[in-house]
Amino acid sequence: MGFVMRWVCAFILLAATFNPTEYNYTNWVMDYGGANLSIAVLLGLLLLIGYIIYLRATLRSIGAFGMLLVLAVVGAALWVLYDLKVLRLDNSSVNVWLSLAALSLVLGIGLSWSHVRRALSGQADIDDVDE
């Protein structure tokens, strides 16, 4: 359940920043950010904090190569679904949502990897000082 929550939070972070609907930070800033500059800056900083937390944890746990590997696995899975005619890529809105899901999966795995490694190997990370 912990992994699912981390993945959902990563998806919400990415979707709040940009998605194919009109309800996202990027569109809101372009349309109303000038009139509400203080709110735009505050929300932008909160999103930046979320990205820093996720990216720092992901880079420390699986690294850039691990991030590319997870993206490659997700890409290969999407390719298989496309070849089996389960997935069609002619809708750009669906493609953006699939991209958000893939990127959030990378961030969710990155944030959860230390827990997975500890469960599989029984070894604690150097950062686990309280256990």
Side-chain angles (χ1 to χ4, degrees):
M1 189 65 176
F3 168 73
V4 174
M5 283 302 297
R6 291 179 189 98
W7 185 15
V8 167
C9 289
F11 184 81
I12 290 170
L13 177 68
L14 290 167
T17 305
F18 179 77
N19 65 61
T21 70
E22 62 188 54
Y23 304 107
N24 61 67
Y25 176 77
T26 305
N27 285 342
W28 180 80
V29 165
M30 289 192 308
D31 294 341
Y32 306 106
N36 301 306
L37 188 59
S38 61
I39 296 172
V41 169
L42 175 64
L43 292 176
L45 289 171
L46 291 174
L47 288 172
L48 181 63
I49 289 169
Y51 281 109
I52 289 171
I53 290 169
Y54 268 93
L55 288 173
R56 185 169 185 260
T58 300
L59 285 171
R60 288 185 69 176
S61 64
I62 62 175
F65 181 73
M67 291 172 73
L68 287 174
L69 189 59
V70 172
L71 275 177
V73 169
V74 171
L78 291 174
W79 187 9
V80 168
L81 292 175
Y82 179 77
D83 278 351
L84 295 175
K85 307 279 191 259
V86 174
L87 179 66
R88 293 180 41 200
L89 299 176
D90 56 352
N91 186 345
S92 63
S93 180
V94 171
N95 294 344
V96 172
W97 286 114
L98 285 172
S99 299
L100 291 172
L103 291 173
S104 65
L105 182 65
V106 171
L107 294 177
I109 287 173
L111 201 62
S112 302
W113 190 251
S114 291
H115 301 290
V116 172
R117 182 176 46 220
R118 183 177 6 164
L120 292 175
S121 69
Q123 297 175 346
D125 286 342
I126 206 77
D127 295 336
D128 296 337
V129 294
D130 60 332
E131 293 184 30

